[in-house]
Amino acid sequence: MQLLFASKKTLGQVALLSGIALGLFTAALSAQAETQTTADTPFNQRYEPDAIQSTEDADMALNAANEDRRILADRYVDDQRECYNKFFVSSCLEDAKERNRVSIKAIRDVEAAANAYKRQAKADDRDKSLSEQHLKDEQDAKRRAADQKSRIATSVRKSKDGAAKQRSVSAREAQADGHADDRVKAHQAKLRSEQAAEAAKAPQRAANEQAYKDKQKSAAAHRQDVAAKKAAKQRELAAKQQQMPAATDSAPAK
């Protein structure tokens, strides 16, 4: 019983390994078939030159061209190796060379179209940028012209305003010149009136100054009198203080 169980387990492992091997073999055949199909189908049929309508299409075709070149190079080596196993070696080699040339030409046709599209797209982008820059320059020029026109208009307006103001000032000055003598006479009369008023105030001002001086003298005499009295009082106080010890010494003891 145990031997039967071990046999079944071994058979299961063998079946599993066989399935894995079959899967790997099938995948390899599928990849080989896909590569063979890719290599057998002309490149300019899988990527038609006229169908390239964008930079992305061009880049995709160029990337695929690089991959096809690698596949064709490997296949050309295999074809040459296979030819040496045939009787007509030279004829086989020529056929392999011709197949490779035709395939490479198909790739080159697509590459030429893709590169031409990219160059044209680059030129179009450059022309578009130049056109946009030209339009921007024109707009900037118009804006600068408008600014210059506005500055000129402002300058002209200020010049006119200044001229009008100067005419007004000149008119006022001309009007004032007609009354110049009246202003001079009035000013002179005002000066004479002020001088007369000052002359009338002179005696009173002199009396005030004398009274101030007398007051200052009286104040000085008062300060001197106060100082003399204070000095006499201090001398009297000092004399009393000198007499007090003598009186104390002459008094009889009790």
Side-chain angles (χ1 to χ4, degrees):
M1 186 68 177
Q2 186 176 4
L3 180 61
L4 180 61
F5 179 76
S7 300
K8 289 182 178 180
K9 183 177 180 181
T10 302
L11 290 175
Q13 291 176 346
V14 171
L16 178 61
L17 293 175
S18 299
I20 294 174
L22 181 60
L24 293 174
F25 180 72
T26 302
L29 289 177
S30 177
Q32 183 178 2
E34 183 178 356
T35 301
Q36 187 68 25
T37 301
T38 300
D40 291 340
T41 303
F43 189 77
N44 55 2
Q45 292 182 12
R46 286 183 283 121
Y47 295 92
E48 297 182 4
D50 295 338
I52 298 175
Q53 299 297 326
S54 67
T55 303
E56 290 75 11
D57 293 343
D59 290 336
M60 185 182 298
L62 291 173
N63 292 332
N66 292 331
E67 180 64 19
D68 264 41
R69 282 179 181 276
R70 184 187 63 77
I71 294 174
L72 289 175
D74 292 341
R75 191 183 71 171
Y76 186 42
V77 171
D78 292 340
D79 289 345
Q80 288 177 321
R81 185 182 296 111
E82 185 68 22
C83 286
Y84 289 107
N85 296 324
K86 294 182 179 181
F87 183 77
F88 297 103
V89 176
S90 298
S91 178
C92 181
L93 291 175
E94 287 296 328
D95 292 342
K97 182 178 180 180
E98 178 64 16
R99 285 195 304 272
N100 187 68
R101 185 191 68 79
V102 172
S103 298
I104 293 297
K105 182 180 182 304
I107 293 176
R108 287 175 178 172
D109 291 341
V110 176
E111 286 177 332
N115 288 322
Y117 182 90
K118 292 185 70 174
R119 286 194 299 271
Q120 184 61 43
K122 186 176 181 179
D124 292 342
D125 291 340
R126 184 177 62 252
D127 292 341
K128 182 180 179 181
S129 298
L130 291 174
S131 178
E132 292 176 351
Q133 184 63 41
H134 181 67
L135 178 61
K136 183 177 181 297
D137 292 341
E138 288 183 347
Q139 293 174 347
D140 292 341
K142 290 180 180 178
R143 184 173 60 255
R144 288 194 298 270
D147 293 342
Q148 181 66 17
K149 185 177 180 180
S150 176
R151 286 194 296 269
I152 292 174
T154 301
S155 178
V156 171
R157 185 176 64 255
K158 288 182 178 180
S159 179
K160 290 181 179 179
D161 293 343
K165 185 177 180 180
Q166 183 61 38
R167 289 194 297 269
S168 177
V169 171
S170 298
R172 288 198 301 270
E173 289 178 349
Q175 184 179 5
D177 289 341
H179 301 285
D181 293 339
D182 295 338
R183 290 198 302 272
V184 172
K185 292 177 181 180
H187 182 65
Q188 291 176 350
K190 183 179 179 181
L191 289 178
R192 289 194 296 271
S193 176
E194 291 176 352
Q195 290 173 357
E198 287 294 324
K201 293 178 181 179
Q204 182 62 39
R205 187 164 51 249
N208 291 339
E209 290 178 357
Q210 185 61 42
Y212 177 75
K213 291 179 181 179
D214 293 341
K215 187 177 180 180
Q216 292 292 327
K217 289 180 180 180
S218 178
H222 178 70
R223 287 195 297 272
Q224 290 177 358
D225 183 51
V226 171
K229 290 180 179 181
K230 184 177 180 181
K233 189 175 182 180
Q234 288 178 348
R235 287 194 299 271
E236 182 182 354
L237 180 60
K240 287 181 179 181
Q241 289 177 350
Q242 289 177 356
Q243 292 174 359
M244 285 179 66
T248 304
D249 293 339
S250 61
K254 292 182 180 180

